Amino acid sequence: MGRSKKPLPILEGVTIEAVAAEGKCLFHWGELVVFVPWCVPGDVCDVQIRRKKHSFAEGEVVRFIKRSDVRALPFCEHFGVCGGCKWQNLPYEEQLRFKQQQVFDQLTRIGKVELPEMRPILGSVKTREYRNKLDFGCANRRYLTREQLGDESLRKDIPAIGFHITGAFDKILPIEQCHLMDPLHNDIRNAIRDYALEHGLSFFDLKAQRGLLRDVIIRNSNSGEWMVILQVHIDHLPLNIDHYEERERESVNGQWSMVNGLLEYIKDNFQQISSLMYVDNQKCNDTIGDLDIRTFSGSDHIFELMEDLRFKVGPKSFYQTNTEQALHLYQVARDFAGLTGQELVYDLYTGTGTIANFVARRARQVVGIEYVPEAIEDAKVNSALNGITNTLFYAGDMKDILTDDFISQHGRPDVIITDPPRAGMHPDVVKTILRAAPQRIVYVSCNPATQARDLQMLDADYRVAAIQPVDMFPHTPHVENVVLLQRRS
């Protein structure tokens, strides 16, 4: 017989000490650090230990004894279940303070490089309705909280449109109202849900890989345009049925007829949508970058405005999701670049060329590199739209494109601006940058931890001259950071 495990204890009257990673807080239990979600420093509470390891434990608040004075009232009915805005219970000033500290801790503990004094973090212009894009999953079974599971009157197989919950990959938390985007997006999403339920459209079953409605992407822009992308999954019949071809054709045509009915309903009831699109996704994941997205009505893009520039944003385009704060982020990057009009600039991970075009008028030439071919085509269009003629764009894997031969062909850059994904830069890319030896590197990061790792690799030849954190995502622990590196003499 196996050894029975000791029951994990409830710790009574503990005081939450500090904010930790991933939006959790922590306190010490003997020599162990205990991580706890949905609380703030200064809370006094009883904590049930849920998981215990050698150096840390994870717990859950089961009773608040005294709530901290440093606390805000969450404004969303889904707070505490939806994992999107874990810091709604913290006043915004405290969020900024912890984000500033997070950047400092990661640059010092991971990077271990000499740092100048950090500039105060730039807070977001908006703390609600600041996003220009949200992605909602569809599932044939909604997620039920622990309290709801005990309610026999609640059915577990009711379809839902909303957000995925950590640990419940095949279920969706139904979202009635999200405060992160203009309220129209709630109307659109809820109307899609109601129409689907009324007309018998099936919702996706992630385990069985069947079901018609799979995902809804909603975007809007500061030019007043809206884009909706309906992701569907057309079910195909088994191969061993009688009269397969005829029945298969009837089944597929029937499903497409239902999809067309929903699209017509969206088009007729939401005149604000200038780009209504759809895609049939037969893959096991919801990514659509490699799929053919079709336009049902309107155009296949919307426009974002930044200073005196216009940027085309398509269904596969990356564009910073906090439009107003993106302007401040890119202004910092442009100022750090110190351009005089004579410089050759490389813009790595250029996306749709937003930064490249944003700095182009202050540079001699800008060369942008990006993995996604469609994004590069948008970058070229964005240059043409704005009458910018001193940009060149290339598509491909960064470590394969940015080589010594590429630099020999296009010239040694005076300035490199790099804005990599959360994983940071590939070591081969860092080595190529060191051989290219630009005078300045402007490193824009959405993950200060991997940024710190890359700074350590660059430290032999470059010193950190300036650090500017920027908050792009209020009520979350995520923070952007811009670092200026100057070549050592």
Side-chain angles (χ1 to χ4, degrees):
M1 292 178 63
R3 295 168 58 186
S4 61
K5 292 184 178 180
K6 280 186 176 182
L8 295 172
I10 294 179
L11 306 181
E12 298 181 346
V14 301
T15 300
I16 304 300
E17 300 169 13
V19 169
E22 299 178 358
K24 297 179 181 178
C25 287
L26 64 81
F27 67 91
H28 288 81
W29 174 33
E31 295 183 357
L32 291 181
V33 174
V34 182
F35 297 101
V36 189
W38 313 118
C39 54
V40 301
D43 282 341
V44 180
C45 46
D46 296 341
V47 175
Q48 169 71 65
I49 300 300
R50 296 291 183 192
R51 184 167 171 248
K52 185 180 177 184
K53 295 293 185 180
H54 292 296
S55 58
F56 72 94
E58 295 176 352
E60 177 185 356
V61 174
V62 293
R63 183 172 72 101
F64 284 97
I65 299 170
K66 178 181 179 298
R67 295 185 184 267
S68 171
D69 294 333
V70 183
R71 175 177 278 277
L73 182 66
F75 51 82
C76 179
E77 63 180 296
H78 305 294
F79 177 79
V81 183
C82 169
C85 300
K86 295 179 180 178
W87 278 4
Q88 279 188 34
N89 53 4
L90 269 178
Y92 189 55
E93 297 74 18
E94 290 297 305
Q95 295 180 32
L96 294 178
R97 185 168 70 86
F98 286 122
K99 291 185 182 190
Q100 178 104 6
Q101 187 64 43
Q102 175 187 332
V103 172
F104 176 80
D105 289 345
Q106 290 175 329
L107 293 188
T108 52
R109 294 174 185 174
I110 300 173
K112 296 183 175 64
V113 298
E114 184 179 355
L115 301 175
E117 183 177 353
M118 285 176 57
R119 301 182 181 191
I121 187 171
L122 293 178
S124 179
V125 177
K126 294 179 179 178
T127 58
R128 302 189 198 183
E129 300 178 16
Y130 61 83
R131 289 186 66 101
N132 57 40
K133 178 186 177 187
L134 283 171
D135 193 331
F136 298 95
C138 305
N140 65 328
R141 289 183 296 169
R142 65 174 176 172
Y143 175 83
L144 295 178
T145 65
R146 192 174 300 158
E147 294 77 16
Q148 290 172 329
L149 283 171
D151 188 343
E152 295 296 331
S153 66
L154 291 175
R155 288 172 49 205
K156 302 173 185 178
D157 59 347
I158 295 178
I161 300 180
F163 294 132
H164 288 276
I165 295 292
T166 303
F169 75 98
D170 62 329
K171 300 180 183 69
I172 289 290
L173 175 70
I175 299 295
E176 187 67 31
Q177 182 180 20
C178 177
H179 299 268
L180 294 183
M181 200 172 176
D182 183 287
L184 179 63
H185 92 279
N186 289 311
D187 298 337
I188 295 171
R189 182 191 65 254
N190 292 337
I192 292 173
R193 175 202 63 199
D194 294 344
Y195 179 95
L197 292 174
E198 182 181 347
H199 291 81
L201 277 71
S202 60
F203 287 58
F204 195 60
D205 182 335
L206 189 58
K207 287 183 178 179
Q209 291 289 299
R210 295 189 66 81
L212 193 56
L213 285 188
R214 182 163 184 162
D215 192 87
V216 180
I217 300 172
I218 303 176
R219 306 182 84 145
N220 72 333
S221 72
N222 60 0
S223 65
E225 296 175 300
W226 286 78
M227 173 186 289
V228 173
I229 306 167
L230 187 68
Q231 189 178 151
V232 300
H233 179 277
I234 300 298
D235 292 333
H236 293 268
L237 298 176
L239 294 176
N240 60 351
I241 66 171
D242 295 331
H243 308 294
Y244 168 74
E245 291 184 1
E246 181 180 348
R247 291 182 62 183
E248 171 75 357
R249 187 164 52 251
E250 290 176 356
S251 172
V252 168
N253 288 342
Q255 292 174 74
W256 276 120
S257 177
M258 299 178 85
V259 171
N260 286 330
L262 173 56
L263 290 167
E264 285 286 356
Y265 171 79
I266 298 170
K267 173 189 171 185
D268 292 342
N269 285 272
F270 295 98
Q271 305 298 320
Q272 303 94 327
I273 298 174
S274 56
S275 175
L276 180 56
M277 313 184 79
Y278 66 97
V279 56
D280 178 19
N281 184 358
Q282 297 290 323
K283 302 188 304 176
C284 292
N285 61 64
D286 291 335
T287 59
I288 58 175
D290 57 344
L291 299 178
D292 184 17
I293 302 175
R294 300 181 180 276
T295 302
F296 182 80
S297 66
S299 65
D300 63 354
H301 60 272
I302 57 178
F303 286 103
E304 287 281 4
L305 310 177
M306 186 175 289
E307 290 189 340
D308 59 342
L309 303 175
R310 297 172 72 221
F311 291 100
K312 176 187 175 184
V313 179
K316 301 179 184 180
S317 300
F318 170 79
Y319 194 89
Q320 290 285 353
T321 52
N322 186 336
T323 302
E324 294 185 62
Q325 199 66 349
L327 171 61
H328 297 152
L329 181 73
Y330 294 157
Q331 285 173 335
V332 170
R334 186 174 62 190
D335 291 345
F336 277 10
L339 303 176
T340 65
Q342 303 303 312
E343 293 83 6
L344 172 61
V345 179
Y346 280 13
D347 180 28
L348 310 185
Y349 312 94
T350 191
T352 57
T354 315
I355 292 180
N357 286 298
F358 191 72
V359 305
R361 290 172 180 171
R362 300 191 186 183
R364 173 170 55 85
Q365 188 173 57
V366 182
V367 177
I369 304 173
E370 165 62 37
Y371 179 75
V372 181
E374 291 89 350
I376 285 297
E377 292 307 309
D378 282 347
K380 294 175 182 177
V381 170
N382 287 330
S383 287
L385 277 171
N386 294 287
I388 296 171
T389 58
N390 60 335
T391 55
L392 295 171
F393 294 103
Y394 297 91
D397 192 304
M398 187 63 62
K399 70 181 188 305
D400 298 330
I401 296 290
L402 186 68
T403 62
D404 295 336
D405 288 343
F406 183 91
I407 292 169
S408 296
Q409 179 182 351
H410 294 88
R412 190 174 298 276
D414 303 294
V415 177
I416 286 181
I417 301 174
T418 181
D419 186 4
R422 290 191 62 80
M425 295 191 291
H426 191 281
D428 290 349
V429 175
V430 176
K431 292 174 185 176
T432 304
I433 290 174
L434 288 170
R435 290 194 298 272
Q439 287 301 308
R440 291 180 298 284
I441 301 171
V442 180
Y443 193 144
V444 182
S445 173
C446 60
N447 186 353
T450 55
Q451 184 185 47
R453 178 205 65 200
D454 293 345
L455 294 183
Q456 190 176 55
M457 289 190 285
L458 293 164
D459 185 58
D461 292 355
Y462 290 88
R463 67 177 182 88
V464 177
I467 307 168
Q468 178 63 73
V470 181
D471 183 26
M472 302 287 288
F473 305 104
H475 313 303
T476 79
H478 300 297
V479 60
E480 298 264 341
N481 191 46
V482 190
V483 168
L484 169 61
L485 295 151
Q486 291 186 337
R487 184 165 175 78
R488 300 184 188 275
S489 57

